[in-house]
Amino acid sequence: MHIYVPSVGAHHSLGIQPICAAQHSIAGEVMQDSAAIISVRQLTKVFRVGSEKVVALNDVSFDVPKGQILCIVGTSGSGKSTLLNQLAGLEKPTKGQVLIGGKNISAFSETRLAGFRQKHIGFIFQSYNLMAAMTALENVSMPLIFRGMPRKKREIAAKRILGEVGLSERAGHKPSQMSGGQQQRVGIARAFVATPKIIFADEPTGNLDTRTTVEVMQMMIRLCKQYNQTLVLVTHDTEIAEYADRIVTMRDGVIVEDRVNVKRAEETKEETNPGAGEKGAKDET
Amino acid sequence: MRISDLLSICARNLTRRKFRTFLTVMGVVIGTSFIVMMISLGIGIERSNMRMLETWGDLTMVTIHNQGNTETPLNDTAIEAIRAMPQVQAVTPVAELRLDNVNVVLTAGRGGRYEWWGGWGIVGLDPAALPYLGYDMREGDILPVNEDGTRVVRMMFGERAAYNFQDTRRRWPNNMIEVWNVMPGDPLPDPFFNPMEEQTIRITLSSWEQDSRDVEFEVEVVGVMVGSWDFNRPELMDGAVMDVADLQRMIAEFNRANSIRPDRNAVEGFDMARVKAHSIDDVADVEAAIHAMGFPNTQSMEEIRQSMQEAAQQIQMILGFIGGVALFISSLSIMNTMIMSVYERTREIGVMKVLGCHLGNIRSIFLIEAALIGFIGGVVGNALSALASFALNAYVMGNAGGGMMGMGMEPMPVSVIPLWLMSLGLVFATIIGLVSGIIPALRAVKISALEAIRTE
Ligand SMILES: Nc1ncnc2c1ncn2[C@@H]1O[C@H](COP(=O)(O)OP(=O)(O)OP(=O)(O)O)[C@@H](O)[C@H]1O
Ligand SMILES: [Mg+2]
């Protein structure tokens, strides 16, 4: 189900990802950029509440190619978060598979999943989830601390990414000393600091006002495009969805619509690969 | 994660809730200092028991009493057999200058002015054994082995032997110098003469019987011993020590001079012998071996030492148990604190899991935090017990100047904290912390990554 591969060729060389050169290999295997980085196969998730069964995901299948910005939209309770949790390996599916870089992460042990997330996944939360006792710099460093990176090296990386989200001056501030928008920018920096292959975000702008939402969204998109990272974003705000390359709409645990955001695609192509727009549009069908 | 990062995260978590950490640490402090203090009191009791026994006598000494034993004579052969035992360091017969109907008189001074009647407390020992038997000299030398064949009778005097002499030219009470009420270590008055310098000391054996002939020997005092209230060795204070060979020679000469034939039916051999074991632990074995040789009547500090040691150990166990209970309670408090902390940090743990923190690291964080509480409690607890021990000792020793503790004993510390006890306290407290952290750490590991997503 190869729909559209945006900006292929411009951003996938090794040299562009300076912090973690091993990014191209997931679980020891070199991945091919053009192949789907995420493959969802007949994914079903059923919750049991007492004697009742809630089918949160019902036989969902789709592929996400590398470098795509995918937005999952839908009404409340449609199963967006549930889907995202399965993709990030936070929860085991009832049936089906989630393949990331060809590996069935649904079959991974907890320990292996932790290592997998550490190496390849970034996560942005709706409620920021920063460590209250830590400064912005330390919060951003967390994923690198988990990797056992030495202090000096990780602080250089953390400072650089804090600069990219425009918070150099706030490096020494605690979360309680920052606005929601600033906190979410710290959260974004934390998700990107280790240059993971894939970033998941569940309602990242859910707690922000319109102006800040625009700021935060643009920042995420910019960072993703910069290193050709894949972003899977959950929201119920259709305006936000317009930032994505592709929009998947869910209802009652099934995908009811899966479309390419043509407007965005045109923009991207013009930015990254002027003159190749015609060809990309043909690929789409 | 690096160890340094783990430690700094733990330290940060502990300082985040300072008062709660302080209270939990206090529990460990009390527990540790309790157990350390209790054991230290036990050690103090054991040590002062040992010291007390030592002032009563040498703890490695066994005295054989063989008077009236007609079956097994304590003769040279028997002495040699005892000497051959591997645990025996030295052995000497103990002979007293005692014969039926014979008077012993020592005289000194010009014209024999000073007289010591009776000669009680003068014993004949084997000079070869003396260096092992704990004879400390106040003046002069220890009694040497007679190598030059001199017929002069060499003696070492007890600390107060010189005061046994009375001045025959003076009247009572000025004819004696009383020293019985002088405490050990206190200065003694000058005796009538200094036995070390006196040239004319003689010892005379005489009998009341008519036509009896006295025998007289010249005496050289080679040294004066340090006195002690060792009940087994009265010679140290009021008596004197001479070569057992000299003593036998004196008796033989007296018998020859008065044509006395030794009673053929009399038991040959010595009435007494002293056996010195290599160490305290050998005493029981040596005593048993001597019993097996046919000398049932022995005496040593072993039995009393063992019973005192048992009593001290029992006290130590009881005190240690009380301390253990205190530490156990503090471990419950550590566990409670850590479980609370896991509960509070549920979301944080979830976030860490989402960010890819390994389960082992999460487990380590909680274990290290708990162990740190134990460790800090152990350090402070040690410091506190050292302080308490110091204060207690200062108080007790300050109050025990004289009185009961007299009798040649300096006051002993009641609480002794050796280095091993300190380290034991510290290690124990840390382990208690670590063990208390196991359940909370396992709970932390079980927390789902989804806790991070959940919105309150
Ligand atoms: N742990 C759970 N136990 C039982 N039911 C659950 C659980 N998690 C989700 N569900 C149910 O699964 C369905 C999908 O929930 P999900 O959170 O994925 O919705 P959503 O699309 O993210 O909604 P929202 O936009 O409100 O966040 C809902 O009906 C929900 O009640
Ligand atoms: Mg949701």
Side-chain angles (χ1 to χ4, degrees):
Chain A
M1 201 175 155
H2 188 184
I3 298 174
Y4 169 64
V5 185
S7 53
V8 170
H11 298 290
H12 73 289
S13 78
L14 271 168
I16 294 175
Q17 292 164 6
I19 293 175
C20 189
Q23 282 299 308
H24 279 263
S25 133
I26 284 184
E29 277 179 18
V30 176
M31 294 195 319
Q32 284 155 355
D33 282 359
S34 52
I37 191 165
I38 304 172
S39 296
V40 179
R41 297 273 173 272
Q42 280 126 34
L43 199 65
T44 300
K45 180 72 184 176
V46 180
F47 292 108
R48 267 170 217 283
V49 183
S51 57
E52 260 180 82
K53 283 184 185 173
V54 180
V55 182
L57 291 176
N58 193 357
D59 200 28
V60 174
S61 298
F62 65 98
D63 282 3
V64 184
K66 183 172 159 48
Q68 187 170 66
I69 294 173
L70 172 75
C71 193
I72 302 168
V73 294
T75 51
S76 185
S78 56
K80 307 183 294 289
S81 298
T82 307
L83 176 58
L84 196 77
N85 295 343
Q86 314 299 312
L87 296 184
L90 305 183
E91 217 174 10
K92 294 262 182 265
T94 311
K95 246 192 270 170
Q97 292 180 340
V98 175
L99 303 164
I100 293 189
K103 298 268 160 185
N104 179 12
I105 65 157
S106 309
F108 279 14
S109 68
E110 267 247 52
T111 313
R112 197 158 169 211
L113 269 175
F116 180 82
R117 282 199 292 265
Q118 191 180 86
K119 283 203 196 87
H120 307 298
I121 306 261
F123 211 102
I124 301 166
F125 304 90
Q126 176 178 358
S127 43
Y128 328 131
N129 276 339
L130 304 179
M131 303 285 165
M134 293 184 171
T135 63
L137 186 71
E138 287 164 334
N139 266 295
V140 172
S141 308
M142 283 297 270
L144 304 179
I145 292 178
F146 295 154
R147 288 178 173 207
M149 191 184 278
R151 188 181 206 94
K152 273 197 187 139
K153 216 173 143 192
R154 70 178 186 237
E155 279 191 356
I156 291 169
K159 274 183 183 149
R160 216 203 61 206
I161 193 89
L162 265 179
E164 290 202 45
V165 299
L167 285 177
S168 293
E169 265 94 84
R170 304 279 169 167
H173 287 215
K174 298 259 172 81
S176 56
Q177 298 160 332
M178 287 186 281
S179 72
Q182 287 166 340
Q183 287 185 57
Q184 191 58 300
R185 273 143 74 188
V186 174
I188 290 168
R190 180 176 65 184
F192 279 92
V193 71
T195 52
K197 277 276 178 196
I198 307 166
I199 289 118
F200 294 107
D202 193 351
E203 313 251 15
T205 57
N207 292 358
L208 303 175
D209 62 35
T210 330
R211 204 175 65 83
T212 321
T213 298
V214 172
E215 240 174 70
V216 162
M217 281 312 297
Q218 283 174 345
M219 189 168 287
M220 276 174 15
I221 305 289
R222 196 189 74 224
L223 287 169
C224 270
K225 290 294 171 193
Q226 199 171 327
Y227 295 133
N228 193 26
Q229 284 155 304
T230 309
L231 174 65
V232 179
L233 184 79
V234 164
T235 182
H236 53 256
D237 184 340
T238 43
E239 268 180 55
I240 289 172
E242 291 310 313
Y243 286 93
D245 300 324
R246 172 179 167 198
I247 301 162
V248 166
T249 311
M250 293 191 69
R251 191 178 304 141
D252 297 333
V254 293
I255 294 176
V256 290
E257 191 188 37
D258 185 347
R259 67 177 174 95
V260 171
N261 184 5
V262 184
K263 193 179 130 214
R264 178 76 195 159
E266 294 303 326
E267 277 172 27
T268 311
K269 230 160 287 168
E270 266 147 45
E271 278 166 26
T272 58
N273 200 2
E278 297 293 309
K279 193 174 176 276
K282 272 177 202 162
D283 280 357
E284 190 183 313
T285 48
Chain B
M1 268 173 96
R2 312 182 141 233
I3 300 279
S4 58
D5 289 326
L6 273 176
L7 284 175
S8 92
I9 285 179
C10 294
R12 198 190 295 248
N13 282 332
L14 289 178
T15 48
R16 197 153 24 142
R17 294 229 181 268
K18 287 193 187 65
F19 191 60
R20 188 173 70 187
T21 304
F22 169 77
L23 289 180
T24 316
V25 167
M26 273 319 281
V28 185
V29 167
I30 291 167
T32 310
S33 45
F34 225 84
I35 203 165
V36 168
M37 270 314 280
M38 291 294 151
I39 295 177
S40 89
L41 286 176
I43 296 171
I45 291 170
E46 207 176 318
R47 287 213 182 160
S48 59
N49 279 352
M50 286 286 268
R51 268 287 273 287
M52 189 159 70
L53 286 172
E54 270 166 12
T55 62
W56 290 351
D58 189 336
L59 300 182
T60 56
M61 191 78 83
V62 178
T63 307
I64 307 172
H65 296 274
N66 207 43
Q67 210 168 1
N69 181 351
T70 50
E71 280 169 23
T72 330
L74 185 54
N75 52 21
D76 288 340
T77 326
I79 299 271
E80 283 313 315
I82 293 168
R83 202 197 307 281
M85 291 178 191
Q87 304 99 320
V88 170
Q89 189 176 35
V91 56
T92 176
V94 181
E96 282 178 51
L97 189 51
R98 208 151 32 80
L99 283 169
D100 295 338
N101 300 324
V102 173
N103 302 313
V104 176
V105 184
L106 279 89
T107 54
R110 195 185 296 170
R113 171 178 179 173
Y114 307 109
E115 291 181 347
W116 172 9
W117 281 85
W120 288 295
I122 298 179
V123 290
L125 303 177
D126 179 358
L130 290 181
Y132 305 105
L133 300 182
Y135 287 93
D136 296 327
M137 304 310 291
R138 210 178 158 84
E139 274 178 77
D141 303 314
I142 198 162
L143 187 70
V145 177
N146 187 349
E147 281 167 340
D148 50 8
T150 180
R151 296 187 67 78
V152 174
V153 175
R154 288 186 177 130
M155 287 189 179
M156 46 182 193
F157 266 23
E159 182 179 285
R160 298 173 185 195
Y163 303 96
N164 289 323
F165 287 86
Q166 38 181 297
D167 188 351
T168 53
R169 308 243 177 108
R170 292 194 207 194
R171 286 171 183 279
W172 188 87
N174 292 331
N175 61 341
M176 295 285 283
I177 299 171
E178 300 288 0
V179 289
W180 58 268
N181 54 355
V182 178
M183 282 291 165
D186 286 356
L188 287 159
D190 285 335
F192 291 127
F193 63 94
N194 181 345
M196 294 281 295
E197 286 160 15
E198 184 65 36
Q199 302 294 316
T200 56
I201 305 177
R202 286 166 190 287
I203 184 164
T204 308
L205 307 189
S206 61
S207 165
W208 295 114
E209 287 183 22
Q210 280 194 335
D211 306 325
S212 72
R213 295 170 70 173
D214 296 354
V215 290
E216 194 182 81
F217 305 88
E218 205 178 310
V219 173
E220 183 198 349
V221 177
V222 294
V224 176
M225 297 177 279
V226 176
S228 143
W229 299 107
D230 185 341
F231 302 135
N232 277 315
R233 297 192 294 172
E235 70 269 17
L236 291 173
M237 273 292 185
D238 296 324
V241 176
M242 60 193 287
D243 191 334
V244 67
D246 283 343
L247 190 139
Q248 285 172 322
R249 174 168 62 87
M250 284 163 63
I251 293 170
E253 277 186 32
F254 180 81
N255 284 347
R256 202 178 322 124
N258 291 291
S259 310
I260 299 168
R261 295 210 164 176
D263 185 352
R264 275 172 195 272
N265 296 326
V267 182
E268 54 162 334
F270 304 99
D271 285 348
M272 240 203 277
R274 288 187 198 148
V275 182
K276 162 101 174 158
H278 276 289
S279 82
I280 285 183
D281 303 324
D282 294 328
V283 172
D285 287 348
V286 167
E287 237 180 322
I290 291 169
H291 293 165
M293 286 175 69
F295 305 109
N297 202 354
T298 60
Q299 181 210 334
S300 72
M301 293 289 186
E302 185 59 14
E303 223 164 280
I304 185 165
R305 183 184 76 85
Q306 274 183 1
S307 66
M308 280 174 103
Q309 194 175 21
E310 266 164 38
Q313 273 167 358
Q314 259 168 17
I315 295 172
Q316 226 167 326
M317 289 243 303
I318 293 167
L319 297 182
F321 177 75
I322 297 171
V325 168
L327 211 52
F328 175 71
I329 291 168
S330 71
S331 104
L332 292 183
S333 125
I334 295 178
M335 208 182 296
N336 181 49
T337 298
M338 293 312 297
I339 285 178
M340 287 289 291
S341 167
V342 169
Y343 183 71
E344 274 172 13
R345 275 144 69 183
T346 298
R347 191 180 188 85
E348 214 167 278
I349 295 161
V351 172
M352 284 168 72
K353 283 193 162 183
V354 173
L355 297 184
C357 186
H358 280 292
L359 301 188
N361 286 333
I362 292 171
R363 185 165 42 229
S364 300
I365 286 173
F366 285 89
L367 285 178
I368 292 173
E369 273 175 42
L372 265 178
I373 290 176
F375 179 79
I376 296 167
V379 170
V380 179
N382 266 335
L384 193 72
S385 36
L387 215 70
S389 169
F390 179 79
L392 188 68
N393 288 339
Y395 177 76
V396 171
M397 286 161 86
N399 275 5
M404 288 278 295
M405 304 287 282
M407 295 286 284
M409 280 214 278
E410 316 124 52
M412 287 280 290
V414 285
S415 153
V416 180
I417 306 181
L419 202 64
W420 66 259
L421 183 54
M422 284 249 181
S423 349
L424 191 82
L426 193 60
V427 169
F428 203 51
T430 312
I431 290 177
I432 287 274
L434 195 68
V435 170
S436 316
I438 290 175
I439 292 175
L442 291 180
R443 283 196 168 201
V445 167
K446 276 202 198 121
I447 286 174
S448 161
L450 287 174
E451 293 294 342
I453 314 292
R454 212 151 278 165
T455 36
E456 315 77 60

